[in-house]
Amino acid sequence: MHDSEISRAAAILRDGGLVAFPTETVYGLGANALSEPAVARVFEVKARPRFDPLIVHIARMDWIPRLTAEFSSVARRLTDRFWPGPLTLVLPKTAAVPDLVTAGGPTVAIRVPDHPVALELLRVVDLPIAAPSANPFGRISPTCAGHVRDQLGSQIDLILDGGPCRVGVESTVLQLTPQGPLLLRPGGTTLEEIEEVIGKVEVPHAWRAGLAEQVLVSPGTLPRHYAPRTALALRAGETDSNWDDQLGSSVRVGLLAFCPGDQTSRFAQVEVLSHTGDLREAAANFFEALRRLDAAGLDLIVADVFPEVGLGRALNDRLRRAAHA
Ligand code: TXA
Ligand code: MG
């Protein structure tokens, strides 16, 4: 990436424009977080409801006291260990953060992305950048520049192409409350890694139970999200044929498989996420594979449920939301 392209992107952001940029998780749709009109354009372009707050991206820690009123020792331990990286912290906000960014709430979500292009852009622009995933609201998140171009291209001032995203699922969103840390969204930093640093994290009960229904603790955790246009059914294992019981043989079914298995000719198209059963590899391929299946003109996509550990938690969360009719 040329310095001149970063400078152009920074100039657009300073002027209140929108720039899509790569992060290690997914592509973000960025705007100056301190400008309410700029942030308003993000909501418009995404057709995102205004009750769903945005994550503010920074590269320098000197922004922290300007954005949050309270940075505890727990926050410090987490950021020392995981920033830059796929962990977003929800903290009490200062008056400098526009209400539109936080959906009128008293907290702001902040993260330092681990991608050279994102970090360079943030350093050059020297502003906090509010950025949701660069997809229309509720649809599949973009993991390469082409996805952004296809879905939002004409409405964005510039797309920075930094290649495919390494992690492939969004950041983990963790709120630090007076009662203790609360997991709002499982993501690229695993619960196990976080608990190793700060001890027990509260996880909404519904997730522990592995259910789709959840309390709306984080406004963005709407039941239906990350969704393909094709109907999606989950299968708990290769022997689980519940999804197949009432389907005729003329129904074209695709399979989103975690690892290679005994896939029969039942499937019109099969996408294997990891040949070695590696959750990291599966996460990196996940949204792209879902997109390919969605474009294949199928009647139904069947997806394997992942083991509920590590990145499997984030992947299952995305699957359950995508399957929620
Ligand atoms: O990996 C990521 O986090 C990507 C890249 C671009 O950084 N961004 C992303 O943004 O996934 P978005 O808007 O698609 O998801 C942000 C999530 C939503 O679930 C939102 O509700 C939650 O973070 N969130 C943001 N601010 C919050 C706040 N103040 N309190 C609670 N949840 C918040
Ligand atoms: Mg999103």
Side-chain angles (χ1 to χ4, degrees), residues 7-289:
S7 313
R8 216 179 113 215
I12 290 169
L13 289 168
R14 280 191 210 102
D15 284 349
L18 301 188
V19 173
F21 63 95
T23 80
E24 79 282 29
T25 58
V26 301
Y27 274 69
L29 178 60
N32 176 0
L34 302 181
S35 160
E36 208 148 55
V39 173
R41 275 195 65 201
V42 171
F43 281 89
E44 257 163 56
V45 164
K46 273 194 66 119
R48 178 177 176 119
R50 290 196 173 203
F51 58 73
D52 193 0
L54 305 182
I55 295 172
V56 175
H57 298 68
I58 57 171
R60 286 191 236 269
M61 292 304 275
D62 52 4
W63 277 105
I64 287 289
R66 288 186 264 177
L67 299 172
T68 178
E70 199 186 301
F71 199 70
S72 65
S73 62
V74 172
R76 173 63 62 185
R77 286 202 331 260
L78 288 167
T79 57
D80 281 351
R81 169 73 176 76
F82 296 112
W83 281 3
L87 176 67
T88 295
L89 293 184
V90 174
L91 300 161
K93 85 174 196 80
T94 62
V97 183
D99 285 336
L100 189 54
V101 171
T102 67
T107 58
V108 59
I110 307 175
R111 91 175 188 100
V112 178
D114 187 16
H115 192 289
V117 173
L119 288 171
E120 185 60 13
L121 176 64
L122 290 165
R123 284 193 197 106
V124 170
V125 72
D126 199 24
L127 285 169
I129 297 298
S133 51
N135 53 282
F137 182 71
R139 306 239 68 97
I140 302 174
S141 300
T143 50
C144 67
H147 298 162
V148 182
R149 217 169 288 123
D150 291 347
Q151 286 182 302
L152 297 174
S154 60
Q155 296 159 275
I156 308 178
D157 300 306
L158 182 67
I159 300 173
L160 293 176
D161 188 346
C165 300
R166 173 173 58 81
V167 176
V169 287
E170 294 86 346
S171 63
T172 300
V173 180
L174 188 75
Q175 181 162 12
L176 299 181
T177 76
Q179 291 75 43
L182 174 67
L183 184 72
L184 299 184
R185 176 176 75 181
T189 303
T190 67
L191 184 62
E192 292 87 342
E193 290 173 306
I194 294 170
E195 289 192 328
E196 218 169 88
V197 176
I198 57 166
K200 188 109 186 80
V201 168
E202 195 192 327
V203 177
H205 171 72
W207 288 353
R208 290 237 189 258
L211 300 174
E213 260 61 53
Q214 327 187 346
V215 214
L216 265 161
V217 276
S218 187
T221 56
L222 292 170
R224 184 159 171 87
H225 220 100
Y226 311 104
R229 295 185 189 276
T230 315
L232 181 72
L234 307 188
R235 69 169 190 175
E238 281 194 33
T239 53
D240 176 5
S241 60
N242 286 341
W243 58 272
D244 202 16
D245 287 351
Q246 284 122 52
L247 298 177
S249 56
S250 65
V251 176
R252 294 187 73 236
V253 185
L255 176 67
L256 185 65
F258 172 33
C259 30
D262 175 24
Q263 279 107 33
T264 62
S265 50
R266 178 70 186 88
F267 298 105
Q269 183 167 336
V270 176
E271 294 284 343
V272 176
L273 293 173
S274 169
H275 285 275
T276 57
D278 175 18
L279 285 167
R280 261 174 217 278
E281 189 185 6
N285 293 327
F286 179 76
F287 283 127
E288 165 91 34

